Amino acid sequence: MPFTSFLRLLVPLSASSLQNHSHLLQSASLQIFCIHKLTAASKRPFLLSVLATSEMDSQSHHHLILAGKSSAEVELAKTLKSNNNIKLTGDATVYTYIYSEMGIPFSEESFHMESYMNSLSTKHFGRLLMWSPRLPSTHDIVSQNFGELPIGAVCLADVQYKGRGRSKNPWESPLGCLLFSFTIQMEEGRIVPLLQYVISLAITEAMNDLCDIEGFPHLDIKIKWPNDLYLNGLKVGGILCTSTYKSKKFNVSAGVGLNVDNKKPTTCLSEVLQQLTSVPYKLRREDILAAFFNNFEKLYDIFLNQGFESLKGLYYKTWLHSGQKVVIQEKSEDRLVENVVTIQGLSSSGYLLAVGEDCQMYELHPDGNSFDFFKGLVRRKLN
């Protein structure tokens, strides 16, 4: 089914404005409507441009708007734009714009960059933001341009049409979701698999902070090992981390998808919060993203300097699995034998730690074939 995306921008109706946004105007199927409305400041007519692209065009032309927390990040954004550094594989063309140079207000549906930056208090993460109304995948932007981006840079999209999940499962993500990917660089490969747990924790802690600010009860978001987020028994989010090894460092692209306002097909964060409070409060992506990075930077620092052991207590309070019994199917000669184990926690390598009915400790690994991790676990006896 063809997908149509809309980017609403208010652009001053002048020759220079049209020239500055020529890439937008040259896009296929661009419909332009003149609105004869005068602003109090300039008294000039404004142009409401609606970018309505066909499926074919939207998959070959992508628009990224760059913003920075400080002048240093803004200058870096300008360098990325002037050097045409950000690219995608294939025949896709990426057009970049600098938010501070556009001088135009965005629609209510758009991501409000200033609001996000005002709420951000990090020293490293989330300070360079790349936003697009529609991308194949924020993960593609980050991973394919890792060497050009600073560590901690984040890419966010309103809609993804080629998002990736575990085992390269494709995902289409509609409006109403917080969809972002960011860059991390690590030196110790042994702890890279544990990073997804730190990201999961940062999300749950961010949501707690936002509820505290508004005086609302906490949303009972739970972590389903290894990388899913559940609310009231329904999945509302997930994490994907991929890495490459270069120059003795692991370049990690971390992606997060969180259902904020999309009630279908299951539920969303705003809907559950409204049910809890009877208040028509709507969570904002800007607030969640800023709160995430504010928490992640603190947790990540603990993770690097003190190890994940220092975060395990908080993690176990948030995950679903303490004391959970799991049936492991194993072949014994010509028959299938079922063994019951009870999950105790995480092993040092990040796998599930369980105890069997024989009181032996086991490490549980996914078999790599099952969509549900808990339906394809393989146990390994620990000495």
Side-chain angles (χ1 to χ4, degrees), residues 69-82:
K69 171 72 174 176
S70 70
S71 57
E73 286 86 29
V74 172
E75 287 304 311
L76 179 55
K78 291 179 180 178
T79 300
L80 290 171
K81 178 182 184 299
S82 62

PDB file of all heavy atoms in Angstrom, residues 69-82:
ATOM      1  N   LYS A  69      22.954  21.319  20.536  1.00  0.00           N
ATOM      2  CA  LYS A  69      22.716  21.863  21.870  1.00  0.00           C
ATOM      3  C   LYS A  69      23.495  23.151  22.082  1.00  0.00           C
ATOM      4  O   LYS A  69      22.996  24.112  22.667  1.00  0.00           O
ATOM      5  CB  LYS A  69      23.108  20.816  22.916  1.00  0.00           C
ATOM      6  CG  LYS A  69      23.116  21.286  24.348  1.00  0.00           C
ATOM      7  CD  LYS A  69      21.719  21.507  24.881  1.00  0.00           C
ATOM      8  CE  LYS A  69      21.774  21.836  26.370  1.00  0.00           C
ATOM      9  NZ  LYS A  69      20.434  22.150  26.929  1.00  0.00           N
ATOM     10  N   SER A  70      24.733  23.181  21.626  1.00  0.00           N
ATOM     11  CA  SER A  70      25.584  24.360  21.789  1.00  0.00           C
ATOM     12  C   SER A  70      26.119  24.799  20.435  1.00  0.00           C
ATOM     13  O   SER A  70      25.894  24.144  19.411  1.00  0.00           O
ATOM     14  CB  SER A  70      26.745  24.050  22.733  1.00  0.00           C
ATOM     15  OG  SER A  70      27.654  23.162  22.109  1.00  0.00           O
ATOM     16  N   SER A  71      26.858  25.891  20.439  1.00  0.00           N
ATOM     17  CA  SER A  71      27.424  26.404  19.188  1.00  0.00           C
ATOM     18  C   SER A  71      28.384  25.391  18.577  1.00  0.00           C
ATOM     19  O   SER A  71      28.526  25.320  17.356  1.00  0.00           O
ATOM     20  CB  SER A  71      28.145  27.734  19.441  1.00  0.00           C
ATOM     21  OG  SER A  71      29.165  27.580  20.423  1.00  0.00           O
ATOM     22  N   ALA A  72      29.048  24.595  19.422  1.00  0.00           N
ATOM     23  CA  ALA A  72      29.992  23.599  18.906  1.00  0.00           C
ATOM     24  C   ALA A  72      29.258  22.548  18.071  1.00  0.00           C
ATOM     25  O   ALA A  72      29.715  22.186  16.974  1.00  0.00           O
ATOM     26  CB  ALA A  72      30.725  22.925  20.066  1.00  0.00           C
ATOM     27  N   GLU A  73      28.126  22.062  18.572  1.00  0.00           N
ATOM     28  CA  GLU A  73      27.352  21.072  17.818  1.00  0.00           C
ATOM     29  C   GLU A  73      26.709  21.697  16.577  1.00  0.00           C
ATOM     30  O   GLU A  73      26.591  21.034  15.543  1.00  0.00           O
ATOM     31  CB  GLU A  73      26.280  20.433  18.692  1.00  0.00           C
ATOM     32  CG  GLU A  73      26.786  19.435  19.704  1.00  0.00           C
ATOM     33  CD  GLU A  73      27.222  20.077  21.005  1.00  0.00           C
ATOM     34  OE1 GLU A  73      26.661  21.141  21.348  1.00  0.00           O
ATOM     35  OE2 GLU A  73      28.099  19.529  21.673  1.00  0.00           O
ATOM     36  N   VAL A  74      26.310  22.949  16.663  1.00  0.00           N
ATOM     37  CA  VAL A  74      25.736  23.622  15.490  1.00  0.00           C
ATOM     38  C   VAL A  74      26.779  23.748  14.393  1.00  0.00           C
ATOM     39  O   VAL A  74      26.500  23.510  13.211  1.00  0.00           O
ATOM     40  CB  VAL A  74      25.174  25.008  15.877  1.00  0.00           C
ATOM     41  CG1 VAL A  74      24.759  25.778  14.619  1.00  0.00           C
ATOM     42  CG2 VAL A  74      23.986  24.868  16.819  1.00  0.00           C
ATOM     43  N   GLU A  75      28.005  24.114  14.768  1.00  0.00           N
ATOM     44  CA  GLU A  75      29.077  24.221  13.779  1.00  0.00           C
ATOM     45  C   GLU A  75      29.387  22.864  13.164  1.00  0.00           C
ATOM     46  O   GLU A  75      29.664  22.762  11.964  1.00  0.00           O
ATOM     47  CB  GLU A  75      30.331  24.813  14.427  1.00  0.00           C
ATOM     48  CG  GLU A  75      30.235  26.289  14.726  1.00  0.00           C
ATOM     49  CD  GLU A  75      29.891  27.118  13.496  1.00  0.00           C
ATOM     50  OE1 GLU A  75      30.553  26.908  12.448  1.00  0.00           O
ATOM     51  OE2 GLU A  75      28.971  27.944  13.567  1.00  0.00           O
ATOM     52  N   LEU A  76      29.346  21.829  13.972  1.00  0.00           N
ATOM     53  CA  LEU A  76      29.565  20.487  13.445  1.00  0.00           C
ATOM     54  C   LEU A  76      28.467  20.110  12.463  1.00  0.00           C
ATOM     55  O   LEU A  76      28.742  19.505  11.407  1.00  0.00           O
ATOM     56  CB  LEU A  76      29.618  19.481  14.596  1.00  0.00           C
ATOM     57  CG  LEU A  76      29.826  18.019  14.219  1.00  0.00           C
ATOM     58  CD1 LEU A  76      31.080  17.836  13.376  1.00  0.00           C
ATOM     59  CD2 LEU A  76      29.912  17.153  15.474  1.00  0.00           C
ATOM     60  N   ALA A  77      27.237  20.478  12.792  1.00  0.00           N
ATOM     61  CA  ALA A  77      26.122  20.213  11.883  1.00  0.00           C
ATOM     62  C   ALA A  77      26.323  20.931  10.555  1.00  0.00           C
ATOM     63  O   ALA A  77      26.070  20.364   9.481  1.00  0.00           O
ATOM     64  CB  ALA A  77      24.808  20.650  12.533  1.00  0.00           C
ATOM     65  N   LYS A  78      26.795  22.145  10.617  1.00  0.00           N
ATOM     66  CA  LYS A  78      27.046  22.914   9.388  1.00  0.00           C
ATOM     67  C   LYS A  78      28.134  22.248   8.544  1.00  0.00           C
ATOM     68  O   LYS A  78      28.051  22.238   7.311  1.00  0.00           O
ATOM     69  CB  LYS A  78      27.444  24.352   9.746  1.00  0.00           C
ATOM     70  CG  LYS A  78      26.313  25.184  10.338  1.00  0.00           C
ATOM     71  CD  LYS A  78      26.799  26.583  10.690  1.00  0.00           C
ATOM     72  CE  LYS A  78      25.663  27.423  11.284  1.00  0.00           C
ATOM     73  NZ  LYS A  78      26.132  28.779  11.668  1.00  0.00           N
ATOM     74  N   THR A  79      29.141  21.705   9.219  1.00  0.00           N
ATOM     75  CA  THR A  79      30.206  21.012   8.490  1.00  0.00           C
ATOM     76  C   THR A  79      29.673  19.761   7.799  1.00  0.00           C
ATOM     77  O   THR A  79      30.007  19.477   6.647  1.00  0.00           O
ATOM     78  CB  THR A  79      31.346  20.630   9.451  1.00  0.00           C
ATOM     79  OG1 THR A  79      31.876  21.813  10.046  1.00  0.00           O
ATOM     80  CG2 THR A  79      32.459  19.889   8.712  1.00  0.00           C
ATOM     81  N   LEU A  80      28.839  19.010   8.500  1.00  0.00           N
ATOM     82  CA  LEU A  80      28.232  17.817   7.907  1.00  0.00           C
ATOM     83  C   LEU A  80      27.416  18.183   6.680  1.00  0.00           C
ATOM     84  O   LEU A  80      27.438  17.481   5.666  1.00  0.00           O
ATOM     85  CB  LEU A  80      27.338  17.126   8.936  1.00  0.00           C
ATOM     86  CG  LEU A  80      28.040  16.429  10.115  1.00  0.00           C
ATOM     87  CD1 LEU A  80      27.017  15.989  11.151  1.00  0.00           C
ATOM     88  CD2 LEU A  80      28.841  15.236   9.626  1.00  0.00           C
ATOM     89  N   LYS A  81      26.688  19.294   6.777  1.00  0.00           N
ATOM     90  CA  LYS A  81      25.868  19.737   5.641  1.00  0.00           C
ATOM     91  C   LYS A  81      26.732  20.213   4.475  1.00  0.00           C
ATOM     92  O   LYS A  81      26.520  19.796   3.325  1.00  0.00           O
ATOM     93  CB  LYS A  81      24.924  20.853   6.071  1.00  0.00           C
ATOM     94  CG  LYS A  81      24.052  21.405   4.939  1.00  0.00           C
ATOM     95  CD  LYS A  81      23.177  22.542   5.427  1.00  0.00           C
ATOM     96  CE  LYS A  81      22.242  23.029   4.319  1.00  0.00           C
ATOM     97  NZ  LYS A  81      22.990  23.555   3.153  1.00  0.00           N
ATOM     98  N   SER A  82      27.696  21.072   4.751  1.00  0.00           N
ATOM     99  CA  SER A  82      28.501  21.655   3.663  1.00  0.00           C
ATOM    100  C   SER A  82      29.347  20.603   2.943  1.00  0.00           C
ATOM    101  O   SER A  82      29.588  20.704   1.740  1.00  0.00           O
ATOM    102  CB  SER A  82      29.411  22.763   4.220  1.00  0.00           C
ATOM    103  OG  SER A  82      30.313  22.231   5.176  1.00  0.00           O
TER     104      SER A  82
END
